[in-house]
Amino acid sequence: TGVAMMKFKSPPVNSLSLEFLTEFSISLEKLENNRACRGVIITSAVPKIFSSGLDITEMCGKSMEHYTEFWRAVQEMWLRLYGSSMVTVAAINGSSPAGGCLVALSCDYRIMAENPKFSIGLNEAQLGIVAPFWFKDTFVNVVGHRIAERSLQLGSLHPAPEAHRLGLVDELVPEEKLMEKAAAVMAQWLALPDHARQLTKTMMRKAVLDRLLAHREEDIKNFISFVSKESIQKSLRKYMEMLKKRKS
């Protein structure tokens, strides 16, 4: 059909580890290089979660080299997905905080399961960390400046109905209809001539992509200097402890 389906399957919560991000980028590159593939639907094979976002363990108590490699992998994933020439549809079948929200925001279209228990948002501020400028730019381009500003400062996670009202997701559908709807939306987008759609997408997204490309090394340095601070390490350790307690 010219459409690929990519399912996240890294239990328990599809966190974006270095290994996961690397595999994700390689998979995208393979699809991009396959001329028969025109679109990709991204969803989760893990119940109730799309992706919990960046793997906190990759940012806690590791070496400078590791932080560099990890952050480069995060950048690479976003550059590939946000700049993809394929039609990208996120079928969000669970909660999607932080980096999981970034993955969804980077797609062309977002459909979310109509379940008020599922939420989505860039909630980095809650963990005492700051969403980088390119996370912010992607968010602003979807919901507008005021909603993004308030949501980022408060580290808000928006339940599905609210996310739809804010324009963070394009549609809500019953969970059992999610894949059917994603396929219908994909067909609608693929009905257009590829070159016209691709050139339009490039025109709309180029400035944001170029901004990271021009400041990539500086962005890595900023991440390392931020994440290495003892106060940030302390807050990440505290968050990891809280997660362990929740599990037990």
Side-chain angles (χ1 to χ4, degrees):
T1 60
V3 178
M5 167 87 72
M6 198 191 282
K7 288 187 175 183
F8 294 157
K9 193 178 183 182
S10 182
V13 290
N14 292 335
S15 52
L16 306 174
S17 64
L18 178 56
E19 189 185 1
F20 186 105
L21 288 162
T22 306
E23 201 173 318
F24 186 15
S25 291
I26 290 168
S27 300
L28 280 172
E29 187 180 12
K30 281 181 184 165
L31 294 175
E32 204 77 56
N33 291 336
N34 178 349
R35 299 204 41 194
C37 185
R38 298 172 63 210
V40 58
I41 294 169
I42 297 175
T43 192
S44 167
V46 178
K48 299 180 184 167
I49 189 88
F50 179 70
S51 166
S52 66
L54 301 183
D55 188 338
I56 302 287
T57 62
E58 301 279 14
M59 301 188 268
C60 211
K62 298 280 199 290
S63 68
M64 298 295 175
E65 291 74 23
H66 184 87
Y67 294 147
T68 302
E69 194 184 356
F70 176 64
W71 199 247
R72 202 179 287 286
V74 179
Q75 292 177 334
E76 189 61 33
M77 177 277 292
W78 177 78
L79 289 165
R80 283 205 174 277
L81 185 57
Y82 198 66
S84 175
S85 62
M86 298 180 288
V87 175
T88 52
V89 173
I92 308 162
N93 51 346
S95 286
S96 195
C101 176
L102 180 74
V103 170
L105 285 170
S106 303
C107 292
D108 295 312
Y109 202 82
R110 283 159 291 286
I111 308 158
M112 192 167 183
E114 199 172 9
N115 184 337
K117 287 184 179 166
F118 296 162
S119 59
I120 183 169
L122 293 178
N123 62 322
E124 280 79 354
Q126 283 191 34
L127 320 185
I129 53 183
V130 178
F133 72 85
W134 41 285
F135 282 50
K136 180 267 299 175
D137 289 346
T138 312
F139 198 28
V140 167
N141 286 351
V142 172
V143 298
H145 197 278
R146 175 62 193 135
I147 290 169
E149 182 181 41
R150 188 178 62 209
S151 187
L152 283 168
Q153 285 198 54
L154 293 172
S156 307
L157 281 174
H158 306 284
E162 187 184 314
H164 182 234
R165 199 179 71 243
L166 296 175
L168 182 48
V169 295
D170 297 299
E171 279 186 71
L172 291 184
V173 295
E175 211 162 335
E176 66 279 7
K177 296 266 173 72
L178 190 65
M179 298 326 292
E180 188 188 317
K181 185 67 197 181
V185 166
M186 181 62 79
Q188 188 190 352
W189 282 61
L190 291 180
L192 278 88
D194 280 347
H195 67 278
R197 182 193 52 73
Q198 287 164 355
L199 287 168
T200 305
K201 181 174 180 174
T202 303
M203 176 175 70
M204 296 300 292
R205 298 190 169 196
K206 190 176 185 306
V208 178
L209 288 160
D210 283 353
R211 196 170 158 212
L212 177 60
L213 287 168
H215 299 283
R216 205 166 171 181
E217 297 309 316
E218 187 188 330
D219 181 57
I220 291 171
K221 280 186 190 138
N222 287 344
F223 170 73
I224 292 168
S225 99
F226 184 74
V227 88
S228 306
K229 286 194 174 99
E230 187 42 46
S231 57
I232 302 301
Q233 286 292 309
K234 195 173 164 187
S235 121
L236 291 174
R237 284 195 296 269
K238 201 165 146 191
Y239 184 69
M240 279 162 68
E241 282 303 313
M242 187 189 82
L243 290 180
K244 273 182 201 157
K245 274 182 196 157
R246 248 193 232 165
K247 275 179 201 162
S248 57

